[in-house]
């Protein structure tokens, strides 16, 4: 599998580390235990297109949001995480 | 003495008669020529019997001339290089080649296990399942060893492989698998457009079937056209042709696996060269021009040596100038098989008869028969009279019911052709059936891949060239190149008429899968027993599960299943195709990652100095760390470690702690960021101060710990444990980039930039004064406990100095740029000489941290909370941080959790070992009363006894209680007292002083 890092270009799978579903958002401070429990543990098991967090540890160390089809492994989009320096590369 | 090559033809072929090569097979000497395979050289020497079969130990000969070979498997080479199950049909001949047949004892000619044939009725499909069911305990002790001895394939060398294997990457626009007419035409089209092309060919000669079948292309004989094409391709700088390279797998994103047999054609690789190289090729487009495999017809006795695929017979005659037989019969159901007749006649061999299953044959063939004087029999082969020495007579059932016999010493068989659909099906593409050629063709190939030519069911030479050229041009266009110049190579198309015929029913064993000894009746039996699905059929009979993956047997097997179930072949379907296309040595996947280069090795900055000191090193992750420094006369590690601990506690010692993860945290929000990742607060840490920090996972369990110092208002220096250095960096980057992008903070990994030493003991300050510039104030007031700042060293080097202690002694940690690490160690030894400075290793470091009750890896086990470690009070209640909410869950704050305590044996002379279970005194050990376990132990020179840390249920309420330590692993049982985990200097006066 190959992922096109927005900073480094197309790179091989071995440079990246998979974390998981990018959809759950960390609850704001003061959230209830149930909300945090959902965030920490509950995940959809998607057969199809999903957004995932990947880490380019073998390259620029950016966290990326990768849109991948879990059935075909087709990657349709790769975006840098909000804090990965996206503003600097955005044209 | 080498024998005369009795079956070598007088002329022709692509072998180099000026380069004779000697080789041995089963200890007997033979000779062949450069350009031979082991199989062709055996054919040239008239050897027909090359192995015994897997289950019945039946005599077997050579069936094919390629990597689909099921029978001619040998042990190649000897000693450490002995490689079992090597196909004689692809092994190139070299001087001194040494091969042995398999599955026979004591010899190939006389094999005692062939008595298995007498018991054949019980060796049917599902034999193992049915026979070795009970008693269950017999399986490991009796059945399995006996089965392995009797069956099995070749023997592995059993000793380490002396050769090297390599792994490499390649990138291209168009990858082409195969160098037959289709592949060469594709390469021409793609290459002419300027595309970067890689063409992989399994064989050591380019040309595919053209090498044996010839033909005219663009008005040139095939050999001349190949030469012209190769010289054109050679002139293209971006076209790379790799011979002896098999494309074996297809992976996501246009990544392909290929195995290059770099030096398998030599007795051993030349010095500094690899045996094989595993390629990962990234290609925008791939053209599969892998051709087709001729398929057998299943009939009684079809495994007799001398029965050979018709196309293989052409290869041996035309390419290798070796005659598999002198008087050849052909059994065919299609037009193409007749080419073998022409080839054999052209080489001066006799044709005994053609047995053609079709109702009608072409007039040209009929006139060839009458001109050459051989009969054409309409019918099928019903049996073979022959044995280990080959075919003698062939029984024929003529259409209409009469019988005939043909005397011949070889039988060529052609049942039609199966496109090589492996590569195109590796992403679960299911090939589709084409009635006109009675074969499966690729369907649903992975993105970017297309099959062309015979691999796509186009069997005529002209069609192969057209499809190949068009596919190459289209692939180059798709990869962003324009149209190339030049036109499609032109050749005639041969007629291809075929009457499907899979199995001739009759008496005697008719083999479908020759490598696994699966017969037509096994398939019928599987159907009767309900294993009708092809996936069940495969597993129940082991059809197609041998090292050849059923390349010559799968389609025939499912055709027979279709016949007995009354379904069509496409309804019956195919099994799932999986890589690798050919067996790939594990060594090639490992590459250089074996033995001492299994993984990278990281050396601390002072490593070479420590080695000079005679340090014993321990592997911690990728690192080599000095474990202790033995001195002359010390009898064991304990004596050395005890000396090191005493030296630190009474004087001064130092230890390289550069393996800790080190991260510079910069930015206006650096403090706020650290507040969110640590359970305690760092935003209020004064500049010039260090603080111990603990971080949790989001689920509330402790993740890592370390000291973090504030070097400037917007600059912190964070340390992690050695084990978690990379993971903490990844975690912090996640927090920074994904969770808290609004914070102005940057992280820089500086683990490799700083060499860090712990200097500990009451004389630490005396030693440091010799190292640090005299202008720096190291007094207790000028540099108090938990102070941290940059200092100048004598000579001007800038260092970071931290007054932190892991040992409980007066101690500093000093960081210098990594390039000064070794000099620092040497200088500490010189400057410390008056104070008796002692280098210490990770063992003494561990002893002192246990004496001091500090938690480390064994306590940060991924199951403990901050409170379990006695650090619950560090958890801030005034802020949010990672893990805060989940840490408050009921079970994580329960009163009966196992918490860190100290333990010491009631018998002061007893040694402790970690892992022992804690059981209440007087109770029988068991899971119901297991209250924890011992995590860390050491011999404490200070206490003069073994001490330890343990996780014990409600431990802190039980100080002073005697409990039982139960160690079933080592068979030890003893009493220990629960105590305060801080054994040494509990009020901390020494580290503050």
């Amino acid at each position: 599998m190959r992922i096109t890092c927005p900073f480094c270009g197309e790179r091989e799978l071995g440079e990246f580390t998979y974390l998981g579903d990018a959809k759950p958002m960390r609850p704001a401070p003061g959230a209830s235990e149930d909300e945090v429990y959902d965030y920490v543990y509950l995940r959809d098991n998607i057969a199809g297109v999903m957004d995932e967090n990947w880490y380019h540890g073998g390259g620029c160390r950016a966290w990326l949001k990768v849109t991948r089809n879990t059935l075909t492994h087709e990657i349709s989009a790769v975006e840098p995480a909000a804090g990965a320096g996206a503003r600097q590369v955005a044209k | 003495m080498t024998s005369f090559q009795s079956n070598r033809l007088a002329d022709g072929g692509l072998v180099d008669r000026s380069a004779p090569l000697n080789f041995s097979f089963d200890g007997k000497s033979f000779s062949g020529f450069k350009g031979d395979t082991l199989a062709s050289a055996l054919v040239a020497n008239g050897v027909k019997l090359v192995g015994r079969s897997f289950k019945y130990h039946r005599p077997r000969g050579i069936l094919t001339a390629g990597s689909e070979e099921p029978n001619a498997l040998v042990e190649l080479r000897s000693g450490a290089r002995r490689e079992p199950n090597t196909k004689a049909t692809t092994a190139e001949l070299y001087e001194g080649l040494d091969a042995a047949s398999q599955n026979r004892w004591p010899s190939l000619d006389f094999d005692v296990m062939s008595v298995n044939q007498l018991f054949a009725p019980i060796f049917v499909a599902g034999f193992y399942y049915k026979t070795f069911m009970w008693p269950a305990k017999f399986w490991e002790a009796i059945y399995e060893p006996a089965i392995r001895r009797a069956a099995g394939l070749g023997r592995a060398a059993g000793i380490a492989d002396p050769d090297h294997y390599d792994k490499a990457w390649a990138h291209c626009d168009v990858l082409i698998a195969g160098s037959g007419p289709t592949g060469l035409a594709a390469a021409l089209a793609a290459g002419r457009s300027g595309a970067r092309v890689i063409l992989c060919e399994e064989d050591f000669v380019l040309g595919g079937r053209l090498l044996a079948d010839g033909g005219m292309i663009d008005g040139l004989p095939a050999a001349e056209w190949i030469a012209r094409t190769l010289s054109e391709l050679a002139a293209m700088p971006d076209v790379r042709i790799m011979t002896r390279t098999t494309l074996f797998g297809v992976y996501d994103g246009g990544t392909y696996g290929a195995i290059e047999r770099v030096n398998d054609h030599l007795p051993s690789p030349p010095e500094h060269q690899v045996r094989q190289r595993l390629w990962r090729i990234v290609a925008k487009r791939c053209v599969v021009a892998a051709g087709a495999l001729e398929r057998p017809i299943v009939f009684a006795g079809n495994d007799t040596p001398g029965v050979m695929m018709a196309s293989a017979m052409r290869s041996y005659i035309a390419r290798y100038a070796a005659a598999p037989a002198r008087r050849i019969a052909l059994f065919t159901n299609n037009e193409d098989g007749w080419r073998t007749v022409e080839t054999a006649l052209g080489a001066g061999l006799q044709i005994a008869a053609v047995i053609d299953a079709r109702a009608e044959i072409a007039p040209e063939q009929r006139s060839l028969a009458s001109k050459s004087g051989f009969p054409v029999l309409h019918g099928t082969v019903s049996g073979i009279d022959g044995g280990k020495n080959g075919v003698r007579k062939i029984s024929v059932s003529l259409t209409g019911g009469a019988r005939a016999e043909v005397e011949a010493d070889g039988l060529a068989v052609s049942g039609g052709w199966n496109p090589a659909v492996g590569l195109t099906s590796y992403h679960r593409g299911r090939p589709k059936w084409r009635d006109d050629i009675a074969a499966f063709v690729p369907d649903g190939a992975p993105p970017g891949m297309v099959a062309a030519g015979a691999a796509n069911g186009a069997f005529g030479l002209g069609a192969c060239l057209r499809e190949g050229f068009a596919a190459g041009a289209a692939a180059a266009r798709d990869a962003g190149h324009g149209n190339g110049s030049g036109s499609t190579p032109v050749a005639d198309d041969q007629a291809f008429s075929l009457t499907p015929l899979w199995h001739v029913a009759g008496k005697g064993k008719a083999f479908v899968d020759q490598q696994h000894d699966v017969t037509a009746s096994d398939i019928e039996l599987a159907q009767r027993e309900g294993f009708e699905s092809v996936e069940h059929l495969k597993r129940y009979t082991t059809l197609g599960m041998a090292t050849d993956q059923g390349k010559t047997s799968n389609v025939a097997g499912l055709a027979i299943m279709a016949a007995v179930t009354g379904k069509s072949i496409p309804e019956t379907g195919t099994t799932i195709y999986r890589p690798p296309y050919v067996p790939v040595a594990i060594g090639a996947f490992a590459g250089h990652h074996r033995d001492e280069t299994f993984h990278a090795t990281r050396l601390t900055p002072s490593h070479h100095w420590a080695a000079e000191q005679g340090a014993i090193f321990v592997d911690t992750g990728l690192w080599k760390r000095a474990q202790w420094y033995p001195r002359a006369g010390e009898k064991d590690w304990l004596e050395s470690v005890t000396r090191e601990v005493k030296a630190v506690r009474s004087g001064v010692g130092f230890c390289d702690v550069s393996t800790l993860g080190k991260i510079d945290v910069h930015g206006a929000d650096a403090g706020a960021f650290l507040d969110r990742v640590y359970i305690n607060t760092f935003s209020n840490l004064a500049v010039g101060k260090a603080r111990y920090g603990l971080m949790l996972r989001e689920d509330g369990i402790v993740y890592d710990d370390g000291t973090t110092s504030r070097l400037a208002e917007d600059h912190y220096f964070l340390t992690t444990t050695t084990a978690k250095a990379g993971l903490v960096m990844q975690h912090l980057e996640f927090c920074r980039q994904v969770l808290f992008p609004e914070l102005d903070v940057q992280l820089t990994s500086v683990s490799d930039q700083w060499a860090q030493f712990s200097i500990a003991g009451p004389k630490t300050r005396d030693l440091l004064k010799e190292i640090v510039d005299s202008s720096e104030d190291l007094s207790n007031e000028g540099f108090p406990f938990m102070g941290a700042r940059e200092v100048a060293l004598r000579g001007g080097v800038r260092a970071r100095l931290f007054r932190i202690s892991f040992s409980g002694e007066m101690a500093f940690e000093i960081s210098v740029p990594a390039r000064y690490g070794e000099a620092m160690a040497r200088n500490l030894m010189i400057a410390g000489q008056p104070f008796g400075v002692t280098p210490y290793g990770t063992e003494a470091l561990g002893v002192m941290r246990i004496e001091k009750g500090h938690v480390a890896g064994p306590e940060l086990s991924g199951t403990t909370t901050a409170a379990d470690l006695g650090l619950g009070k560090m958890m801030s209640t005034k802020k949010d941080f990672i893990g805060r909410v989940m840490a408050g869950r009921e079970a994580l704050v329960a009163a009966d959790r196992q918490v860190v305590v100290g333990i010491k044996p009631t018998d002061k002379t007893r040694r402790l070992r970690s892992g022992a279970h804690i059981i209440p005194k007087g109770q029988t050990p068991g899971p119901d009363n297991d209250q924890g376990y011992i995590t860390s132990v050491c011999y404490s020179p200070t206490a003069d006894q073994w001490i330890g840390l343990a996780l014990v249920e409600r431990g802190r309420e039980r100080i002073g209680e005697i409990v039982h330590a139960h160690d079933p692993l080592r068979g030890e049982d003893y009493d220990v007292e629960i105590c305060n985990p801080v054994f040494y200097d509990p009020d901390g006066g020494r580290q503050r002083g």
Side-chain angles (χ1 to χ4, degrees):
Chain A
M1 202 158 90
R2 300 180 66 78
I3 297 174
T4 303
C5 171
F7 302 101
C8 306
E10 186 188 310
R11 297 298 177 91
E12 200 266 331
L13 177 67
E15 293 188 7
F16 298 88
T17 307
Y18 174 76
L19 182 71
D21 193 350
K23 198 173 65 183
M25 300 301 288
R26 188 170 192 271
S32 70
E33 190 178 304
D34 283 351
E35 285 174 84
V36 179
Y37 180 89
D38 283 2
Y39 165 69
V40 172
Y41 289 109
L42 297 188
R43 293 289 181 276
D44 293 334
N45 186 15
I46 296 165
V49 175
M50 70 183 288
D51 290 340
E52 300 169 330
N53 284 315
W54 288 76
Y55 176 58
H56 195 192
C60 60
R61 289 209 284 255
W63 277 92
L64 306 172
K65 189 172 84 178
V66 175
T67 308
R68 184 177 71 103
N69 186 322
T70 58
L71 296 175
T72 63
H73 296 184
E74 187 196 349
I75 291 170
S76 48
V78 184
E79 277 176 41
R87 273 167 300 176
Q88 282 82 343
V89 291
K91 301 226 168 68
Chain B
M1 274 292 288
T2 55
S3 70
F4 170 66
Q5 296 180 33
S6 60
N7 284 31
R8 184 73 72 181
L9 297 170
D11 53 15
L14 299 176
V15 291
D16 182 355
R17 289 161 204 266
S18 68
L21 299 170
N22 298 300
F23 71 101
S24 82
F25 179 64
D26 277 346
K28 217 174 143 193
S29 296
F30 297 99
S31 75
F33 293 126
K34 189 169 161 51
D36 264 325
T37 60
L38 172 58
S40 73
L42 288 170
V43 168
N45 283 279
V47 175
K48 289 199 165 156
L49 174 64
V50 296
R52 290 272 173 174
S53 74
F54 181 64
K55 202 155 76 176
Y56 303 119
H57 289 248
R58 283 168 71 101
R60 292 281 165 82
I62 297 162
L63 183 71
T64 74
S67 65
E68 68 272 29
E69 176 64 30
N71 284 341
L73 307 182
V74 298
E75 290 173 356
L76 190 63
R77 301 182 169 87
S78 54
R81 289 196 168 88
R82 186 173 73 204
E83 193 175 346
N85 312 329
T86 306
K87 293 165 192 133
T89 49
T90 58
E92 282 175 64
L93 199 65
Y94 53 81
E95 177 61 31
L97 181 146
D98 170 19
S101 58
Q102 302 184 163
N103 286 355
R104 83 288 188 275
W105 187 83
S107 75
L108 189 54
D109 259 353
F110 176 73
D111 176 47
V112 288
M113 293 306 286
S114 60
V115 299
N116 277 4
Q117 291 188 69
L118 303 178
F119 302 106
I122 66 164
F123 279 104
V124 294
F127 160 69
Y128 295 134
Y129 304 118
K130 290 167 180 165
T131 311
F132 298 110
M133 295 277 286
W134 26 253
K137 67 181 177 192
F138 272 32
W139 178 253
E140 267 183 48
I142 296 171
Y143 295 148
E144 191 184 337
I147 291 167
R148 287 199 184 281
R149 221 176 9 254
L153 291 168
R155 301 161 301 157
I159 35 179
D161 189 335
D163 292 327
H164 293 278
Y165 297 80
D166 197 11
K167 286 195 278 194
W169 284 91
H171 299 257
C172 64
D173 295 318
V174 181
L175 173 65
I176 300 166
S179 73
T182 311
L184 290 178
L188 275 180
R192 283 172 185 168
S193 76
R196 288 191 301 162
V197 176
I198 294 177
L199 184 150
C200 297
E201 170 54 57
E202 180 171 60
D203 206 328
F204 54 99
V205 185
L206 298 160
R209 283 306 304 172
L210 291 175
L211 299 174
D213 291 349
M216 295 294 286
I217 304 172
D218 285 350
L220 297 173
E224 283 177 41
W225 181 79
I226 293 172
R228 191 184 75 179
T229 302
L230 293 181
S231 73
E232 183 179 344
L233 293 174
M236 297 175 181
D238 286 332
V239 174
R240 173 176 194 165
I241 294 180
M242 298 168 70
T243 53
R244 302 184 173 108
T245 304
T246 309
L247 213 59
F248 66 77
V250 184
Y251 306 93
D252 290 316
T255 307
Y256 300 85
I259 183 72
E260 182 184 11
R261 289 166 291 274
V262 184
N263 280 307
D264 275 4
H265 60 295
L266 300 175
S268 61
E271 203 180 359
H272 305 306
Q273 285 200 30
V274 297
R275 172 88 177 269
Q276 298 181 350
R277 184 175 289 121
L278 184 87
W279 285 94
R280 278 170 287 181
I281 302 172
V282 181
K284 294 198 179 91
R285 289 290 181 275
C286 178
V287 177
V288 175
L293 300 174
E294 197 173 22
R295 61 198 187 203
I297 299 169
V298 178
F299 56 86
N302 64 336
D303 65 329
T304 311
V307 177
M308 189 181 269
M309 300 314 304
S311 59
M313 214 172 260
R314 295 204 292 281
S315 292
Y316 289 114
I317 296 168
R319 175 174 170 184
Y320 299 106
R326 291 285 169 188
R327 190 178 153 79
I328 298 167
L330 168 72
F331 178 24
T332 186
N333 67 342
N334 68 88
E335 198 94 355
D336 190 67
W338 279 80
R339 298 170 78 165
T340 305
V341 172
E342 292 163 35
T343 303
L345 291 172
L349 301 170
Q350 247 190 317
I351 296 298
V354 170
I355 302 115
D356 199 320
R358 295 174 299 168
E360 282 180 31
I361 63 167
E364 309 88 74
Q365 284 152 0
R366 212 165 274 292
S367 67
L368 175 70
S370 60
K371 193 179 77 188
S372 310
F374 61 83
V376 177
L377 307 174
H378 288 278
T380 56
V381 172
S382 55
I384 299 284
D385 177 10
K388 67 185 185 192
N389 296 320
V391 174
R392 285 188 296 270
K393 246 185 243 167
I394 298 156
S395 305
V396 180
S397 298
L398 296 170
T399 311
R403 299 196 159 275
E405 280 195 340
V406 176
E407 279 194 31
D409 62 347
L411 175 64
V413 180
S414 179
W417 291 80
N418 289 327
V421 295
L423 288 170
T424 52
S425 304
Y426 286 154
H427 285 195
R428 300 233 162 180
R430 294 287 189 154
K432 66 169 187 273
W433 181 255
R434 250 176 64 185
D435 267 329
D436 60 329
I437 54 171
F440 285 103
V441 294
D443 196 22
M449 176 187 269
V450 65
N456 195 36
F459 295 144
L461 178 55
C464 286
L465 293 165
R466 285 192 301 277
E467 279 203 7
F469 197 82
R477 268 197 309 278
D478 292 346
H481 293 269
N483 283 322
S485 56
S487 53
T488 309
V490 176
D492 288 342
D493 284 311
Q494 295 73 27
F496 183 79
S497 82
L498 172 142
T499 302
L501 174 65
W502 307 99
H503 173 210
V504 181
K507 281 176 77 174
K509 287 202 170 301
F511 285 89
V512 181
D513 181 337
Q514 299 206 21
Q515 197 179 352
H516 261 172
D517 269 359
V518 179
T519 63
S521 59
D522 285 331
I523 293 171
E524 289 157 1
L525 177 69
Q527 187 269 335
R528 285 201 301 279
E529 296 185 345
F531 297 95
E532 280 187 16
S533 137
V534 285
E535 296 289 359
H536 289 160
L537 168 69
K538 168 181 163 178
R539 284 156 183 82
Y540 193 58
T541 63
T542 72
L543 169 72
M545 292 174 73
T547 62
D548 65 347
Q549 295 200 339
K551 288 184 175 61
T552 56
S553 62
N554 280 342
V555 177
L558 62 93
I560 292 169
M561 178 57 87
V564 293
T565 53
K567 289 181 184 163
S568 70
I569 291 173
E571 278 168 350
T572 305
T574 53
T575 52
I576 289 171
Y577 292 80
R578 294 187 177 90
Y581 187 73
V582 292
V584 181
I586 299 291
F589 285 109
H592 293 292
H593 299 286
R594 54 177 280 185
D595 304 325
E596 68 276 13
T597 50
F598 179 65
H599 58 63
T601 300
R602 300 179 78 180
L603 302 182
T604 62
S606 66
H607 182 87
H608 298 298
W609 164 83
E612 280 172 28
Q613 302 291 311
I616 304 296
F617 293 98
V618 60
D619 289 340
T620 54
L622 302 181
W623 291 100
K624 296 250 180 242
R625 297 190 73 182
Q627 197 172 10
W628 68 87
Y629 295 80
R631 282 193 187 164
E634 289 175 345
K635 65 179 191 298
D636 61 7
W637 64 274
L638 185 57
E639 195 176 337
S640 306
V641 172
T642 300
R643 170 183 50 75
E644 289 171 14
V645 172
K646 284 179 172 167
V648 172
R649 297 249 183 261
S650 64
V652 61
F654 70 91
C655 178
D656 190 330
V657 294
S658 307
T659 60
L660 297 175
K662 304 177 214 66
I663 300 166
D664 269 336
V665 184
H666 288 276
D669 296 325
F673 176 76
L674 294 175
D675 286 349
R676 296 191 196 183
V677 299
Y678 278 123
I679 65 171
N680 47 336
T681 308
F682 279 84
S683 54
N684 63 3
L685 183 68
V687 172
K689 286 295 224 177
R691 182 171 285 168
Y692 174 74
L694 195 69
M695 53 179 85
L696 306 185
R697 310 190 304 220
E698 196 69 274
D699 66 0
I701 297 293
V702 171
Y703 188 47
D704 200 53
D705 69 348
T707 52
T708 288
S709 313
R710 192 167 198 173
L711 299 177
E713 198 60 37
D714 59 353
H715 179 197
Y716 291 79
F717 175 69
L718 180 154
T719 65
T720 76
T721 58
T722 298
K724 291 268 172 58
L727 290 170
V728 168
M729 186 71 196
Q730 176 178 335
H731 169 68
L732 295 183
E733 286 288 11
F734 180 76
C735 296
R736 182 184 78 83
Q737 297 178 32
V738 180
L739 300 184
F740 314 125
E742 69 279 10
L743 297 182
D744 177 8
V745 60
Q746 291 296 324
L747 305 171
T748 313
S749 169
V750 291
S751 296
D752 291 339
Q753 277 65 31
W754 295 98
Q756 192 150 320
F757 293 86
S758 169
I759 306 168
K763 293 180 184 164
T764 295
R765 204 178 273 123
D766 299 328
L767 170 54
L768 269 182
K769 278 180 185 159
E770 303 294 321
I771 299 279
V772 173
D773 191 86
S774 55
S775 63
E776 303 285 353
D777 182 359
L778 297 179
S779 70
N780 213 24
E781 298 70 41
F783 214 126
F785 185 58
M786 299 309 270
R789 67 165 187 260
E790 208 175 86
V791 296
L793 303 186
R794 289 172 188 249
V797 172
R798 302 294 292 176
R800 290 174 179 179
L801 192 61
F802 312 92
R803 189 160 163 208
I804 53 181
S805 176
F806 198 44
S807 57
E809 294 301 331
M810 155 75 197
F812 282 84
E813 284 188 15
I814 188 163
S815 286
V816 292
R819 63 186 179 280
Y820 295 117
E822 185 173 329
M824 175 57 93
R826 293 183 191 281
N827 278 323
L828 285 169
M829 287 299 280
I830 296 164
Q833 206 179 9
F835 316 110
V837 70
T838 301
Y840 65 96
T842 55
E843 281 300 318
L845 184 84
V847 169
M848 290 187 279
R849 74 101 185 160
I850 294 170
E851 288 183 333
K852 192 62 189 162
H854 287 309
V855 293
E859 290 78 34
L860 274 59
S861 59
T863 62
T864 45
T865 66
D868 296 344
L869 302 179
L871 303 170
K873 290 200 180 103
M874 281 171 63
M875 287 199 358
S876 169
T877 54
K878 300 191 181 86
K879 55 156 189 153
D880 182 44
F881 57 85
I882 302 278
R884 183 184 64 89
V885 176
M886 288 292 95
R889 278 177 298 165
E890 198 179 343
L892 294 194
V893 296
D896 62 351
R897 284 190 66 82
Q898 298 178 357
V899 300
V900 169
V901 290
I903 48 147
K904 50 190 181 190
T906 52
D907 171 2
K908 280 193 72 170
T909 62
R910 172 167 276 284
R911 177 176 179 169
L912 298 181
R913 291 181 201 272
S914 54
H917 294 257
I918 301 297
I919 309 289
K921 183 100 179 99
Q923 294 188 18
T924 308
D928 294 341
N929 55 17
D930 191 334
Q931 296 189 328
Y933 65 101
I934 300 176
T935 53
S936 302
V937 299
C938 71
Y939 169 73
S940 164
T942 319
D944 190 24
Q945 69 167 104
W946 284 79
I947 60 169
L949 300 179
L951 284 164
V952 178
E953 208 172 292
R954 299 177 188 270
R956 279 191 288 272
E957 302 163 21
R958 297 165 69 180
I959 303 294
E961 183 181 330
I962 308 293
V963 292
H964 189 68
H966 174 62
D967 189 345
L969 205 59
R970 291 113 171 177
E972 292 180 345
D973 282 280
Y974 47 89
D975 288 346
V976 295
E977 181 191 333
I978 297 174
C979 59
N980 186 317
V982 186
F983 293 88
Y984 183 74
D985 189 27
D987 57 7
R990 293 181 70 91
Q991 63 194 21
R992 290 194 181 81

